[in-house]
Amino acid sequence: MATRMATRLENFFEQRTDGNLRSIVKYEGDTYEIVHLRDDVAELYTTDELESAIDESRMESLTAPIYENTALVNRCKAAE
């Protein structure tokens, strides 16, 4: 389900950002998957820098509030 949700989110944001979507990273526990990384963004960072940014984002998300009933999440779930 997480992969399908990530794909739907990628499609949703890609359509609404007019090609300006920089990245989507799916992470769970200690693993991550880069679902989308725009080519020009990938060229700016080394693998180590990307991993560091992903780790930082993961840590920030641990303290962020969870929005179970947001319009975006509901639209993506409805599209399943």
Short mmCIF file of all heavy atoms in Angstrom, two decimals, residues 25 32 34 45-58:
data_model
loop_
_atom_site.label_atom_id
_atom_site.label_comp_id
_atom_site.label_asym_id
_atom_site.label_seq_id
_atom_site.Cartn_x
_atom_site.Cartn_y
_atom_site.Cartn_z
N VAL A 25 10.65 10.83 -1.27
CA VAL A 25 11.38 9.74 -0.64
C VAL A 25 10.42 9.03 0.31
O VAL A 25 9.79 9.65 1.15
CB VAL A 25 12.61 10.26 0.13
CG1 VAL A 25 13.33 9.11 0.82
CG2 VAL A 25 13.54 11.01 -0.79
N TYR A 32 15.01 3.36 3.15
CA TYR A 32 14.33 4.39 2.36
C TYR A 32 14.39 4.01 0.89
O TYR A 32 15.22 3.20 0.45
CB TYR A 32 14.95 5.77 2.59
CG TYR A 32 16.33 5.93 2.01
CD1 TYR A 32 16.49 6.38 0.70
CD2 TYR A 32 17.46 5.64 2.75
CE1 TYR A 32 17.76 6.52 0.15
CE2 TYR A 32 18.72 5.79 2.22
CZ TYR A 32 18.87 6.23 0.92
OH TYR A 32 20.12 6.37 0.37
N ILE A 34 14.08 6.21 -2.84
CA ILE A 34 13.86 7.46 -3.55
C ILE A 34 12.88 7.15 -4.68
O ILE A 34 13.21 6.45 -5.63
CB ILE A 34 15.17 8.05 -4.10
CG1 ILE A 34 16.11 8.38 -2.94
CG2 ILE A 34 14.90 9.28 -4.95
CD1 ILE A 34 17.48 8.84 -3.36
N TYR A 45 23.84 16.95 -5.65
CA TYR A 45 24.19 16.35 -4.37
C TYR A 45 24.88 14.99 -4.54
O TYR A 45 24.55 14.23 -5.43
CB TYR A 45 22.93 16.16 -3.51
CG TYR A 45 22.19 17.44 -3.27
CD1 TYR A 45 21.08 17.79 -4.03
CD2 TYR A 45 22.62 18.33 -2.29
CE1 TYR A 45 20.42 18.98 -3.81
CE2 TYR A 45 21.96 19.52 -2.06
CZ TYR A 45 20.85 19.84 -2.83
OH TYR A 45 20.21 21.03 -2.62
N THR A 46 25.80 14.72 -3.64
CA THR A 46 26.43 13.40 -3.61
C THR A 46 25.46 12.43 -2.92
O THR A 46 24.50 12.85 -2.25
CB THR A 46 27.75 13.44 -2.82
OG1 THR A 46 27.45 13.72 -1.44
CG2 THR A 46 28.70 14.47 -3.38
N THR A 47 25.76 11.15 -3.03
CA THR A 47 24.95 10.14 -2.35
C THR A 47 24.96 10.37 -0.85
O THR A 47 23.92 10.27 -0.19
CB THR A 47 25.48 8.73 -2.69
OG1 THR A 47 25.40 8.55 -4.10
CG2 THR A 47 24.67 7.66 -1.99
N ASP A 48 26.11 10.71 -0.30
CA ASP A 48 26.21 10.98 1.14
C ASP A 48 25.35 12.16 1.55
O ASP A 48 24.71 12.13 2.61
CB ASP A 48 27.66 11.24 1.55
CG ASP A 48 28.51 9.98 1.53
OD1 ASP A 48 27.94 8.86 1.53
OD2 ASP A 48 29.75 10.11 1.51
N GLU A 49 25.34 13.22 0.74
CA GLU A 49 24.51 14.39 1.06
C GLU A 49 23.02 14.05 1.00
O GLU A 49 22.25 14.50 1.85
CB GLU A 49 24.83 15.54 0.10
CG GLU A 49 26.19 16.14 0.33
CD GLU A 49 26.60 17.14 -0.74
OE1 GLU A 49 26.27 16.93 -1.93
OE2 GLU A 49 27.24 18.15 -0.38
N LEU A 50 22.63 13.26 0.01
CA LEU A 50 21.24 12.83 -0.08
C LEU A 50 20.85 11.99 1.13
O LEU A 50 19.79 12.20 1.73
CB LEU A 50 20.98 12.05 -1.37
CG LEU A 50 20.95 12.87 -2.65
CD1 LEU A 50 20.90 11.93 -3.86
CD2 LEU A 50 19.77 13.81 -2.66
N GLU A 51 21.70 11.05 1.50
CA GLU A 51 21.41 10.20 2.65
C GLU A 51 21.31 11.02 3.94
O GLU A 51 20.45 10.78 4.78
CB GLU A 51 22.47 9.11 2.80
CG GLU A 51 22.34 8.04 1.74
CD GLU A 51 23.41 6.97 1.83
OE1 GLU A 51 24.32 7.08 2.68
OE2 GLU A 51 23.33 6.01 1.04
N SER A 52 22.16 12.01 4.08
CA SER A 52 22.12 12.89 5.25
C SER A 52 20.81 13.68 5.29
O SER A 52 20.18 13.79 6.35
CB SER A 52 23.31 13.84 5.22
OG SER A 52 23.26 14.73 6.31
N ALA A 53 20.39 14.20 4.15
CA ALA A 53 19.13 14.95 4.09
C ALA A 53 17.94 14.04 4.39
O ALA A 53 17.00 14.45 5.09
CB ALA A 53 18.97 15.59 2.71
N ILE A 54 17.99 12.82 3.90
CA ILE A 54 16.90 11.87 4.16
C ILE A 54 16.86 11.53 5.64
O ILE A 54 15.78 11.50 6.25
CB ILE A 54 17.07 10.60 3.28
CG1 ILE A 54 16.81 10.96 1.81
CG2 ILE A 54 16.14 9.49 3.75
CD1 ILE A 54 17.25 9.90 0.83
N ASP A 55 18.01 11.29 6.25
CA ASP A 55 18.05 11.00 7.68
C ASP A 55 17.51 12.16 8.50
O ASP A 55 16.77 11.97 9.47
CB ASP A 55 19.48 10.68 8.13
CG ASP A 55 19.95 9.31 7.70
OD1 ASP A 55 19.08 8.46 7.37
OD2 ASP A 55 21.17 9.07 7.67
N GLU A 56 17.88 13.37 8.12
CA GLU A 56 17.39 14.56 8.83
C GLU A 56 15.88 14.68 8.70
O GLU A 56 15.18 14.95 9.67
CB GLU A 56 18.07 15.81 8.27
CG GLU A 56 17.72 17.07 9.00
CD GLU A 56 18.48 18.27 8.45
OE1 GLU A 56 19.70 18.14 8.23
OE2 GLU A 56 17.85 19.31 8.26
N SER A 57 15.37 14.45 7.50
CA SER A 57 13.92 14.51 7.28
C SER A 57 13.20 13.44 8.10
O SER A 57 12.14 13.68 8.67
CB SER A 57 13.63 14.32 5.79
OG SER A 57 12.25 14.29 5.57
N ARG A 58 13.78 12.25 8.15
CA ARG A 58 13.19 11.15 8.93
C ARG A 58 13.09 11.56 10.39
O ARG A 58 12.07 11.35 11.04
CB ARG A 58 14.05 9.90 8.77
CG ARG A 58 13.51 8.72 9.53
CD ARG A 58 14.39 7.51 9.41
NE ARG A 58 14.59 7.12 8.02
CZ ARG A 58 15.72 6.65 7.54
NH1 ARG A 58 16.77 6.50 8.31
NH2 ARG A 58 15.82 6.31 6.29
#
